[in-house]
Amino acid sequence: VFQRKFTACSAAPSMLSLLSLALGLSLLTTSRPPAPRAAARLAASSAPSFSLPSPIETLKRLSSAEARELQRELLELAFEQDPQVVVRRSLDLARAVRVVGSETVQGLSSAAAAPEPPVILRRMCEELGATYVKLGQFIASSPTLFPPEYVQEFQKCLDATPPMPWSDVKEIVEAELGRPIGQVYASVDETPLAAASIAQVHAARLLSGEDVVLKVQKKGVQGSLKADLDLLYANARVLQLLGVVTAELSDVVATLRSAILEEIDFVLEAQRTEQFAEFLARSPELDGVVTVPKVYRAASASRLLTLERLYGVPLIDLESVRKYQPQPELALIVALNTWVSSVLTNEWFHADVHAGNLLVLTDGRVAFIDFGIVGAIPAATAEGMLDFVRSFPAGDMAGVGRALEKMGFTKELSEEQSAAFAKDIGEVIASIDSMTADIATTASAGAAASAIDETQLNRAVAAVARVAEGYGIRFPREFALLIKQVLYFDRYTSLLAPGLDVLNDERLSMNRPPPPGDGGVSSVEGGSVAVEVLPPEDDAE
């Protein structure tokens, strides 16, 4: 009882202060301007609204059965919190409000332009640390959920953060292993290979001699993230109960909460990595062509993940790729065939195939790494995605429109609406084509010049979403994840294989007829989809 009361009292300042942040998020998710050309067609859509209820209406809502159910839900969340973490985060929030508030006041009193709401919210996230940096990255990677000005501003939420000192790393590793570090590893590099907001990676070697990497979760991240996300969710639910916002805010915060908590669940990431390896093993033609790092379960836990160390180069590093694969387009074809196959036949697909997570190894194999972010879609949606992949590079806008309808993201449109939708999508594709030209132009300058621009990709996805909204269509986050990966591969194609005929090249499995018999055919819910992933022919010999 004491712990419950202490937790509730300690949480109160944080919850009251977070109310302003939750209100900011509610405005963020409810203030999308419609596409100018499509404003007249918005009657078919129901945009969420922001309003303040009357005092009488508020009292009615607070005494309702829904309020009692919410009270039980929030008490359950309170029981799960560590009081010390809640107090610390409340103090952190007070400091962040003071710092950002001072910056805002200074901006208002200076000759410079006053800070815009997206800038203020982004600075709050940065001051509040790992949880809100992840929140900012979620906003930046979800252009179908948030307005473009917020998506663009939150691109500045960098994931590179100072590493933990080695003493903290060792303490966490030994706590997770339950024994001294020397009883598992022959050596561990004290300087990390990389450090991000929630974890850092160290090179190591097991006593058995295998080279591995240690992914170590940062100290205090798990408790802070859960406390912060639960409080954000609680605030969103309270605002929904009071009628200040619609259920959309709660849905967005719930999605955010689930996605971030999954990303810090290293046990889940280990399971996904092993499951993807099983998916590859079900396709014998992938043996020796595609791989994922091996998981060392005996040296892994909830805050520690020990993986096989893979040596390779990012897919966009063209000159380095050529060292290990004389025909870079073959590596691209293998990667694309594997990913498309996972979308069509696996339980989920890799939803973060940026260049750092897609490697060409020194032995020529393609490797998928880091399964912290995945997506899952129905079979019909997957087939629609395949049609999208075929239509998109060919500039077949009518085909793109039909594919989106098949993917289940659109309502039924009239012939006239479909034509107008295709035309509007065509304008978006034209802007994406200019991105392709920019990348192709700089390809010879190396990896630095040809890096895939996250901001451009998110703008492209957001542009598609805005056009769709004008027709009463609203995409879920899975759409953004799916289409963003397609755009990644479109960029990789422009860099590694600008002459590749995506629609007709028979090395791409989606262009081949279903093979006879049951070879290469996988059953998925709703019907069978023929998939064949072709290993590259070694034409270099």
Side-chain angles (χ1 to χ4, degrees):
V1 173
F2 172 78
Q3 181 177 359
R4 180 177 68 183
K5 289 182 177 179
F6 179 71
T7 302
C9 292
S10 300
S14 184
M15 291 183 71
L16 290 173
S17 301
L18 278 172
L19 185 64
S20 61
L21 186 57
L23 282 168
L25 282 172
S26 71
L27 290 172
L28 187 157
T29 60
T30 60
S31 61
R32 284 177 170 274
R37 287 191 56 189
R41 291 186 284 267
L42 275 176
S45 66
S46 55
S49 60
F50 177 86
S51 61
L52 293 175
S54 68
I56 295 177
E57 179 65 23
T58 299
L59 289 175
K60 287 181 179 179
R61 290 173 179 270
L62 290 175
S63 59
S64 66
E66 182 185 359
R68 290 191 292 274
E69 180 61 30
L70 177 59
Q71 183 181 28
R72 284 193 294 271
E73 183 181 359
L74 297 186
L75 278 175
E76 290 176 4
L77 290 178
F79 274 127
E80 296 173 1
Q81 306 308 318
D82 182 342
Q84 293 182 342
V85 171
V86 174
V87 170
R88 175 169 53 81
R89 293 304 286 158
S90 297
L91 295 174
D92 290 343
L93 184 62
R95 179 192 56 77
V97 169
R98 185 178 68 252
V99 171
V100 178
S102 297
E103 292 176 357
T104 303
V105 170
Q106 290 174 2
L108 292 172
S109 60
S110 67
E116 295 292 331
V119 177
I120 296 172
L121 196 58
R122 193 249 313 159
R123 284 289 298 119
M124 279 288 291
C125 289
E126 290 175 339
E127 288 294 325
L128 285 167
T131 301
Y132 294 94
V133 169
K134 296 305 297 181
L135 184 151
Q137 292 168 350
F138 178 89
I139 293 172
S141 64
S142 304
T144 62
L145 294 181
F146 301 102
E149 62 269 22
Y150 286 86
V151 172
Q152 181 175 350
E153 182 63 33
F154 278 90
Q155 297 294 329
K156 300 174 184 176
C157 273
L158 301 178
D159 202 27
T161 58
M164 283 188 296
W166 169 248
S167 58
D168 287 346
V169 174
K170 184 179 179 183
E171 177 185 340
I172 292 171
V173 171
E174 292 186 336
E176 293 298 294
L177 293 173
R179 46 185 165 164
I181 198 169
Q183 292 185 11
V184 178
Y185 306 102
S187 63
V188 180
D189 289 352
E190 296 186 9
T191 302
L193 295 171
S197 58
I198 65 171
Q200 60 192 55
V201 177
H202 291 258
R205 177 167 292 171
L206 296 172
L207 289 175
S208 52
E210 295 98 331
D211 286 347
V212 294
V213 292
L214 275 60
K215 187 174 181 179
V216 185
Q217 196 170 110
K218 288 192 170 179
K219 195 172 185 177
V221 159
Q222 203 167 68
S224 295
L225 274 170
K226 188 171 187 338
D228 290 346
L229 292 168
D230 285 350
L231 288 172
L232 274 178
Y233 176 71
N235 276 298
R237 292 285 285 116
V238 169
L239 290 171
Q240 178 188 343
L241 173 70
L242 295 176
V244 177
V245 298
T246 64
E248 184 180 10
L249 174 64
S250 295
D251 292 341
V252 169
V253 174
T255 301
L256 179 150
R257 179 171 173 264
S258 174
I260 293 179
L261 290 179
E262 282 189 4
E263 198 170 344
I264 64 167
D265 186 345
F266 287 1
V267 174
L268 178 61
E269 184 175 343
Q271 292 171 350
R272 286 172 172 170
T273 304
E274 292 176 332
Q275 196 279 329
F276 202 80
E278 293 170 4
F279 155 71
L280 295 177
R282 293 197 298 268
S283 302
E285 67 273 17
L286 296 179
D287 184 36
V289 179
V290 187
T291 190
V292 296
K294 176 183 176 182
V295 178
Y296 292 88
R297 285 282 190 166
S300 299
S302 62
R303 295 185 296 165
L304 172 67
L305 188 57
T306 300
L307 300 167
E308 172 190 7
R309 186 174 186 183
L310 299 176
Y311 294 92
V313 296
L315 199 63
I316 61 168
D317 190 347
L318 183 58
E319 293 307 313
S320 295
V321 167
R322 284 195 176 116
K323 295 178 183 177
Y324 310 118
Q325 175 51 268
Q327 299 183 64
E329 71 175 37
L330 297 182
L332 169 69
I333 289 169
V334 168
L336 181 56
N337 281 346
T338 303
W339 183 79
V340 169
S341 178
S342 72
V343 172
L344 293 171
T345 66
N346 198 32
E347 300 170 20
W348 43 264
F349 60 90
H350 196 305
D352 195 21
V353 291
H354 66 70
N357 290 340
L358 199 53
L359 307 177
V360 176
L361 304 185
T362 54
D363 60 7
R365 292 179 299 166
V366 171
F368 287 78
I369 66 173
D370 192 351
F371 292 87
I373 303 175
V374 302
I377 55 175
T381 301
E383 293 175 6
M385 184 280 303
L386 195 59
D387 291 342
F388 183 94
V389 171
R390 289 170 176 152
S391 302
F392 179 82
D396 178 7
M397 295 310 104
V400 168
R402 288 192 299 271
L404 291 175
E405 292 184 43
K406 189 174 182 180
M407 289 164 76
F409 294 129
T410 74
K411 64 178 186 178
E412 188 174 346
L413 302 177
S414 68
E415 185 175 342
E416 181 182 349
Q417 288 176 319
S418 293
F421 183 40
K423 182 177 181 182
D424 289 347
I425 289 290
E427 294 176 0
V428 175
I429 301 301
S431 67
I432 296 175
D433 285 342
S434 67
M435 294 164 48
T436 304
D438 290 343
I439 291 175
T441 299
T442 59
S444 60
S450 59
I452 307 302
D453 190 330
E454 287 282 333
T455 303
Q456 286 183 323
L457 286 181
N458 284 318
R459 284 177 180 169
V461 177
V464 173
R466 286 198 303 276
V467 168
E469 281 188 5
Y471 294 84
I473 300 162
R474 190 169 181 84
F475 296 140
R477 183 172 184 254
E478 285 74 15
F479 171 83
L481 292 175
L482 187 72
I483 298 303
K484 189 172 179 181
Q485 310 320 304
V486 173
L487 293 177
Y488 271 128
F489 278 111
D490 187 61
R491 304 284 74 75
Y492 299 149
T493 301
S494 300
L495 177 64
L496 300 178
L500 182 66
D501 185 351
V502 176
L503 281 178
N504 298 306
D505 196 312
E506 291 191 354
R507 292 173 298 177
L508 291 170
S509 58
M510 62 186 183
N511 294 330
R512 297 177 62 86
D518 57 0
V521 178
S522 299
S523 295
V524 294
E525 185 179 353
S528 295
V529 178
V531 177
E532 183 178 359
V533 184
L534 301 175
E537 298 178 3
D538 190 357
D539 295 330
E541 294 183 356

